[in-house]
Amino acid sequence: MAADVDSSTSGAWRARPETSGAVILVPRPGSLLEGSLWHPDPSTLSGEDARRALADIGRARSFLAALEALAVERIRLASEEEAREVAARAHSESQAERFGGDVGRALAVSEVAVAEGISEFAAARLVNSSEALCGPQQAVLSWLEGGVLSEAHARVITDETSTLPEAVAEEFGIECLRRLETRTGRRRTPGEFRKAVRALRERLHPDSIRARRVRAERDRGVWIRPEPDGMCTLTAFLPAELGLAAYNRVDAIARSRRDTESGEGRTLPQLRADELAGLLLVNNGGSSEHSNRSIEHSNGSTARERDSARIGREVTQADVPRPAAEVVVHVSAESLLGLAEEPGELEGYGPIDAETARALAVDAPTWQLLSTGENGVPLSLGRTAYRPPKRLRRFIEYRDGSCQFPGCLSPASKAEIDHIAEWQDGGTTDAANLQALCRKHHALKSLHLWKPTRLETDGGAWDGDVLWVSPLGTRVLAGPADRELVSTSEKGLAPPKSQQLGGADSSGLRPAKSPQLGPSDPPPF
């Protein structure tokens, strides 16, 4: 290998180049993993040798997946023990309700997510899969440990057996392993395997399809995933007949527009996306099912007029329906006035181009200025009030950006404002002691399963990072959003430590040299 990758970065393993050109992987100091793994320099391999190495890597990955399942299951059991101790404490029932009463699993998911640096959705799947592999699917775990099947194949079995009664799950898993290969001896891909396993499950499941449908409907929901370049993926998990009907309606509208309106320049997938946005967002209830009905957009033009103007040119921002639902955009005054092209930030998504931010600002019914000044709202109420006023809450939401638990992307605007040091324990209502937490992580914190501490910075503690410590000993940092307005004390934005408002008593009210929320004036255009 060309370079030694053993650097100061953290990790369990390091690669040590050998004079022969091979590489030996040895554990880092402090790692619980023992032993070493030798492999030749890939640049010296023939095509045939590289293919063999690839198969070996797959088997090693399967072994590590089995080891991971055992470790995750141990975390789950330790978390269950912590949960039992929490259950013995008074006043914990209301918080536990936020997890459906399963505090142990919620704690395990958070521990695994932080340890592996993955989302809690992915961590929850891993916890569920590991519990199954270490329980009724131990035969599958054995095959995984031996490198006979991949983690993806094992996940198919644990997914498809998740709703089976435990009495039949083990036998079903063994039957699934018999279908890992086709009758010609070729190992099925995970997609092929899932199809075969699902067909088997439908034939052998002891419960009726209706009973399973009722249980599955409890998981219905809608999710959004940010994508690059100002785009996102919107996903809905629905009963099959509703989802299929919704898709067929959008498809029919899109096909009708494509087939009846001459010169339509959009592809069918683009038409489906635009019509779906129109159905959900346009004020008159959506686009038409027939080409002779039009969508009125926010500037008064119709879809027919827009389509005519669209022919022969690229689709622009004006071609997409403006949202009637609430969205929150943070944008600098310079970009808002067209004096700069710095990206804005769409709350719950991330950076968007300045043109889109200005277009959304034009349609905004209300807007609020976040600025600095001598006469703004104080960032501290001390012990004079428990609930932060609206402007202080708005500042906390902007500063934090999202839930302050490590890795959580829940928008701060939808979060609860938490006192890091509890109010009943003497905590104060000020920017340094307040943070945004989603309902789940607020409950974990209130149950004292995860304990946060605000760290001091050069400008004080009001914008410091938060150190989180778990019952299992995990220590991880989280903190406010990386925004220039609340991260640069050199610009005089940090609140003074001693100066008080005129007429205030010794409760410690701070003046407004720190970032303040100004009046709700109309936009300057």
Side-chain angles (χ1 to χ4, degrees), residues 341-396:
E341 293 299 316
E342 296 178 2
E345 180 173 338
L346 183 61
E347 201 167 277
Y349 170 77
I352 58 174
D353 61 277
E355 181 183 351
T356 301
R358 283 192 290 268
L360 291 170
V362 168
D363 290 340
T366 61
W367 70 288
Q368 205 164 41
L369 179 66
L370 189 65
S371 63
T372 62
E374 294 289 335
N375 299 310
V377 63
L379 287 183
S380 174
L381 298 180
R383 295 284 298 172
T384 61
Y386 169 72
R387 296 188 181 279
K390 183 177 180 180
R391 289 185 176 183
L392 178 55
R393 178 187 175 93
R394 189 64 179 151
F395 170 77
I396 299 300

Side-chain angles (χ1 to χ4, degrees), residues 109 129 143 187 216 264 408 420 441 464 523:
V109 167
S129 176
W143 281 41
R187 188 168 72 170
E264 172 58 65
C408 184
I420 296 177
H441 294 123

